[in-house]
Amino acid sequence: MTEGGCWADELESVFARVAGRFARADLRWRMRDYVRGLLGQTTRKNGWQLAEWAGHRTPDGFQRLLNSSVWDADALRDDVRAYVAEQLGPGGVLIIDDTGFIKKGTTSAGVGRQYTGTSGKIDSCQIGVFAAYATRSGRALVDRELYLPKAWTSDRDRCRAAKIPDERGFATKGELARNIVRRCLATGLPAKWVTADEAYGQDWHFRRLLEQFNVGYVVAVPKSQQIKSLAGIWRIDQLIHEAPGDAWQRLSCGDGAKGPRIYDWAGATLPANIIFDPDPPTHHRWVMARRSLSDPEEVAYYLAYAPVSVELAELAQVAGSRWAIEECFQAAKTECGLDEYEVRRYPGWYRHITLAMLAHAVLTALAAQAGEAAKGAAETDQPSSRSPWQRSGGSWTLSCPTHEPTATPSPTH
């Protein structure tokens, strides 16, 4: 009974917080019923089952809430982000990733045959680019954008039929990610770090944006990633291959389902960039690698940007926190119906996704308040060993590789 009372109190508090986004009383009540249904125990979170769970005769009211009623989903998104920041606290990690929503047919906004990790293949789906915020207390989704392939943005009649605004042109997933980062950091989300997989990490514009916001990052990059300096251009896998054996440190990148996730890690600071960096620099750029203990040939590569006092152990924790967004996707889809919508139009997608994010944020807040949240990003305090590889200031530095630089330059920095 006590636990049920806490749930009810938190839900009422959240509903009161966002009520002003819905000008009419009937919209507020529909929103409340919809979010309660997303948090309920229905076998599926589609229109009819949510309506039956809420005691409605038909799903028409919910369809109007998502499709034709007047309210601002972006304003509600900002409320969700502020609520998550308040509940989870400062100093966390902002995580960027995308996920797919399998959809048949051709009329759902942005649908098309494209690769999605949801099914692990090219499939008929919509793709959403998301941001999650993770701290020791928990993790929750805080922003979203629908990716529109060129097949959509080049066909304005098709866009208008799906209620896609005329001003919405083509944007790559990387551009959508940068827009999300700007919103999150410019509106005061208290993130200390940003992380992303190699699809976003290899984008120089993405990394440079984070540096301009003066926020640290650890982002995955492909092994072919090229590193440029005044001395030449090198592939990151070549640089890591040159690391001596004692440069590798056995560190945890956070707890998983079976305990600490232990890998061998190597990382080197790069020379300061005289164009972008102050003198003396406040941050260092790093090259990093993570090597599997069971298969030493399995190596993942990273670029990082961090305050000068940061050591490799903390950067490994940030890299490991990227999996928190996968847990958000799983929980939001399983518990809050993130992927069970039946809307086809562009505004309906944003409205359902934002309400599902609100429902998931409530679950995260309740778990954090009860001390039941899974341990968040950057939480394992493992002592790190000192590496003698070109040691400088407590870490090792990559000043100038000895092998021949790659002859062909690349637009990727």
Side-chain angles (χ1 to χ4, degrees):
M1 293 293 290
T2 302
E3 182 179 347
C6 291
W7 274 69
D9 290 345
E10 186 64 26
L11 266 178
E12 288 304 316
S13 173
V14 170
F15 289 151
R17 183 183 192 123
V18 303
R21 303 303 182 186
F22 303 86
R24 289 172 20 206
D26 61 324
L27 285 182
R28 289 195 290 272
W29 284 106
R30 284 191 194 123
M31 177 274 295
R32 292 161 65 99
D33 286 347
Y34 195 80
V35 173
R36 287 180 183 277
L38 293 176
L39 291 169
Q41 298 299 313
T42 55
T43 55
R44 290 204 63 203
K45 308 291 174 73
N46 58 34
W48 274 104
Q49 292 205 17
L50 290 178
E52 290 175 357
W53 187 92
H56 299 185
R57 293 175 58 188
T58 70
D60 294 350
F62 286 159
Q63 289 297 321
R64 287 194 296 272
L65 173 71
L66 298 179
N67 291 311
S68 60
S69 58
V70 179
W71 60 279
D72 189 345
D74 287 347
L76 181 63
R77 171 207 62 203
D78 294 343
D79 290 341
V80 172
R81 184 191 305 124
Y83 173 68
V84 169
E86 178 184 299
Q87 295 295 318
L88 299 187
V93 184
L94 181 66
I95 311 161
I96 304 296
D97 202 358
D98 53 72
T99 189
F101 303 90
I102 306 301
K103 296 292 174 183
K104 305 304 179 183
T106 60
T107 58
S108 297
V111 71
R113 291 193 59 78
Q114 47 199 329
Y115 177 81
T116 171
T118 302
S119 61
K121 61 181 181 180
I122 295 176
D123 216 331
S124 179
C125 64
Q126 295 167 296
I127 299 291
V129 180
F130 286 81
Y133 182 62
T135 72
R136 293 174 182 266
S137 300
R139 64 290 306 258
L141 299 172
V142 294
D143 210 330
R144 74 289 178 265
E145 286 286 2
L146 178 62
Y147 171 70
L148 299 177
K150 288 183 178 179
W152 273 86
T153 56
S154 61
D155 187 342
R156 298 318 303 177
D157 290 337
R158 190 184 187 193
C159 286
R160 291 188 184 104
K163 300 297 182 183
I164 297 172
D166 288 341
E167 62 270 19
R168 175 68 194 270
F170 176 73
T172 66
K173 295 172 191 172
E175 289 170 332
L176 296 178
R178 295 200 294 273
N179 290 339
I180 287 174
V181 166
R182 287 189 189 97
R183 280 198 297 265
C184 290
L185 298 181
T187 56
L189 185 75
K192 182 180 178 182
W193 298 97
V194 175
T195 188
D197 67 16
E198 63 183 49
Y200 303 97
Q202 65 184 328
D203 180 2
W204 180 83
H205 299 285
F206 180 76
R207 301 196 306 272
R208 181 59 190 151
L209 175 66
L210 300 178
E211 293 176 9
Q212 289 171 333
F213 273 102
N214 205 36
V215 63
Y217 62 74
V218 181
V219 293
V221 294
K223 65 180 182 181
S224 59
Q225 178 73 38
Q226 294 194 340
I227 310 300
K228 294 183 179 180
S229 75
L230 295 177
I233 304 171
W234 294 267
R235 282 172 51 124
I236 192 171
D237 58 346
Q238 294 172 330
L239 296 180
I240 295 299
H241 181 72
E242 298 251 333
D246 55 3
W248 293 87
Q249 305 177 37
R250 191 151 294 181
L251 301 167
S252 168
C253 62
D255 283 354
K258 299 181 180 179
R261 292 171 290 161
I262 307 294
Y263 295 91
D264 285 333
W265 293 82
T269 58
L270 293 167
N273 187 313
I274 60 175
I275 298 176
F276 298 131
D277 297 339
D279 185 20
T282 59
H283 289 67
H284 285 153
R285 293 176 187 82
W286 292 64
V287 293
M288 294 170 52
R290 184 197 71 198
R291 188 173 65 193
S292 169
L293 301 186
S294 59
D295 181 7
E297 297 300 315
E298 182 182 319
V299 181
Y301 301 93
Y302 301 86
L303 292 177
Y305 179 76
V308 294
S309 59
V310 167
E311 297 185 357
L312 182 61
E314 184 172 355
L315 298 179
Q317 295 284 327
V318 177
S321 70
R322 184 170 64 85
W323 297 106
I325 196 169
E326 298 293 344
E327 296 169 350
C328 287
F329 290 148
Q330 181 179 1
K333 290 179 178 181
T334 303
E335 305 294 337
C336 305
L338 184 74
D339 60 343
E340 295 186 33
Y341 52 88
E342 295 177 324
V343 293
R344 290 188 174 89
R345 294 176 175 176
Y346 183 85
W349 186 89
Y350 277 92
R351 290 178 172 188
H352 168 82
I353 294 296
T354 307
L355 290 169
M357 286 167 51
L358 176 63
H360 179 246
V362 171
L363 292 181
T364 298
L366 288 165
Q369 291 166 12
E372 297 172 354
K375 292 176 182 161
E379 62 184 341
T380 305
D381 295 320
Q382 295 280 341
S384 60
S385 59
R386 296 294 186 183
S387 170
W389 183 17
Q390 300 183 23
R391 269 185 64 181
S392 175
S395 61
W396 53 272
T397 302
L398 187 62
S399 55
C400 184
T402 57
H403 58 75
E404 291 297 320
T406 303
T408 304
S410 165
T412 307
H413 292 62

